Amino acid sequence: MIRMRRVTKVYKGNIYALEDVTLDIERGEFVFLVGPSGSGKTTLIKLLIKEEEPTSGQIYIADTNINQLRKWKIPYLRRKIGCVFQDFKLLPHKTVFQNVAYAMEVTGKPRRLIEQQVPEVLKLVGLGHKLDAFPDELSGGEQQRVAIARAFINRPPILLADEPTGNVDPSLAEGIIRLLEKINSTGTTVIVATHDKEIVNTFRKRVIALENGRVIRDQDKGVYGYE
Amino acid sequence: MNRIKYFAAETWASLSKNLILAVAAMAVVAVSLSLLGLVVLGWNMFSNMIKNAERRVGEIDIYLSDLTTEQERQAIEDFLVSLPEVDPARVIYKTKDEALKEFKERFRDNPELWENLEDNPLPNSFKVTTKDPKDVGVVVGTVKTQAPFLNRIEDVRSASAAIEKLENIFDKFRQVGILGVLALVVVSVMLVSVTIQVAIFARRREIGIMKLVGATNWFIRWPFVLEGVFEGTVGSLVAILLVMAVKVWILDRLIESLHFLRMAITPGLLGLLIPSLLLGGLIIGALGSAYALGRYLEV
Ligand SMILES: Nc1ncnc2c1ncn2[C@@H]1O[C@H](COP(=O)(O)OP(=O)(O)OP(=O)(O)O)[C@@H](O)[C@H]1O
Ligand SMILES: [Mg+2]
C-alpha cells in the first residue's frame, strides 16, 4: 500500500528531517510511528500527502509513484488519504458540522448523504452535541476529535494520524485509539505518529521508530522502547 | 444544486467580511457603466439630430438686403437658375413676411420668442437646392463671388457647413467619452480585482487547509469568481437604474422642450443598451476575479 525507497528530506538550512528511509506498509496494517520530538514523524506524513516533496528517493502509494503525480491529480490523492494533522487544521470560520462536511463537499457528495453521515460520525467521536460550535469554542481535545472525524468521513483507504492523543486525557486517548482500531478492522490502513508510550505499549501493534530522521527499529507487536 | 448553494454561501460570507471594499468596487462599476450608457444615449441623440438635419443638406439660403429692388432681385434669380449645379425648378423666393410666418409656426410653443417683435427682423431670401448635395460648397462659392448685385446679398448659408461643424464637435465629445469610459472600466476591473485579492489574502490559511483535505483548485476558486461577478453585476444593475432615471427625467424632457432641434433616441436602443450594460458588469467582474486568481492563487 505504501512504499518508501531511500527517502531523504532536507529542509532549507541543511536540516535533515528524514534520511534514507525505506519501508513498506501493507494494506490493512496498523502502524505506530514513534520517536522523540524532531525525529521526523510529521515530515514523513507530509511527504505521503504531498504537502512536502522529498529531496531524494521514491514514494509509492497503491503502486503509484507520487513524485511523478501531475499537479491536478494531487487533490484526488489526498481524498484517498484521511489525515489528522498535529495542529488540527480546522477551518476557523466554519462550524464543527461544516468542517467535517467540507471534506465530503469537495468530493461532490450529495447534501442528503452529508446531512446524514456527518452527525453520525461526530457522535462516534463524542461530539454529537457540538455540531454548531466553532473551533475556537472547543477544547484542544475536542478540536482533535473534529479533525479525526473529518479524516475518516470519506472512509479513505489510508488514515494518517499525527499525535491524535496529544491533547486528551489517558482514558479518552485509549478511546480514540480503539476507534482507529475499529476503522482499521474495516480494511483501512492506519498510521499513528505518537509520543504516547502508554498507548504504544498497551496496543502492541507494529512499531516503526525514528531517530534523527532515520528508521532505527521496525518491530511487529512492538513497544515504545525509548527511555 | 448542492454545489451552487455551497458556492453562494461561501461567496456571501466572503463578501460580507470585506463589505466596505466590495461596496466601493460596486460603486465604481456603477459609475463607469452609467457613464458608458449616457455617452451612448447622448451620442445617439445628437447623431439623430444631425441625420434629421442632413435631409436639408442640399439647401442653400441666400439672404437679401431690404434695399434690394425688384430688378435686382430678378437678376439674382436668373443668375441662380442659370447655374448648372442648381435644380432650376427649386429656386424659391421667400419674402420676409413668409419667413416670419414660418418662424411663428415653428416656434408656436415658445411665443415669447416672437410676441414682442416690433417689426420683422427676418430678411427676404432665396432657397436654392442643388441637384447633388455635394455641390453645395461650389454653389456657395460661386454665388459669393460671381452673383450680380453682390452688395445686395447679405449672407449665403448652407446647412452642410453648420452640420460639419456640429459633427466635429460631437466627434470630439464621443472620443473623450469613450476614452473616459475605457479608463473607468480599467479602474473598475482593478478595484474588483483588489477586493478579490484581499479576500484571498484574508483566507490564505483556509485555502491551504482546503487543499490539504482534497479540494481541487476550481472548487476553491469558484466562490471568488462568483464574488467578482456578483460585484460587477450589482454595479451594472445600479448603472441601469441610473441611466433609466437620467433618460426619463432629463433626456426625454430635454428632447421635448428642444423639439425644434429634432433630437431623438432611436427606438429599441434601450432594449439593446440594458442587456449590454448587464453583460458589461458581468465581464468586468469576471475579469477582475480572473486577474486576482491568476496572480494570487497559485495552482
Ligand atoms: N518547514 C520546516 N523548515 C525547516 N525545518 C523544519 C520544517 N519542518 C520541520 N523541520 C525540522 O525538521 C525536523 C523534523 O521535524 P518533524 O516536525 O518532522 O518532527 P516530529 O517528529 O513530528 O516532531 P514532534 O514530535 O515534535 O511533532 C525538526 O528538526 C524540525 O525542526
Ligand atoms: Mg510532529
Side-chain angles (χ1 to χ4, degrees), chain A residues 41-42 86 162-163:
Chain A
K41 304 184 292 295
T42 300
Q86 192 166 8
D162 198 353
E163 303 281 3

Side-chain angles (χ1 to χ4, degrees), chain B residues 207-223:
Chain B
I207 290 171
I209 296 173
M210 291 168 171
K211 286 185 179 172
L212 286 180
V213 299
T216 56
N217 279 307
W218 271 110
F219 194 80
I220 291 168
R221 277 177 186 152
W222 266 115

Side-chain angles (χ1 to χ4, degrees), chain B residues 26 29-30 229-239:
Chain B
M26 292 187 249
V29 173
V229 168
F230 178 85
E231 285 174 5
T233 308
V234 170
S236 71
L237 288 177
V238 173

Side-chain angles (χ1 to χ4, degrees), chain A residues 11-12 15 17 36-43 52 86 163 195:
Chain A
Y11 286 114
K12 62 173 179 298
I15 298 163
S37 186
S39 58
K41 304 184 292 295
T42 300
T43 301
E52 294 283 353
Q86 192 166 8
E163 303 281 3
H195 278 130

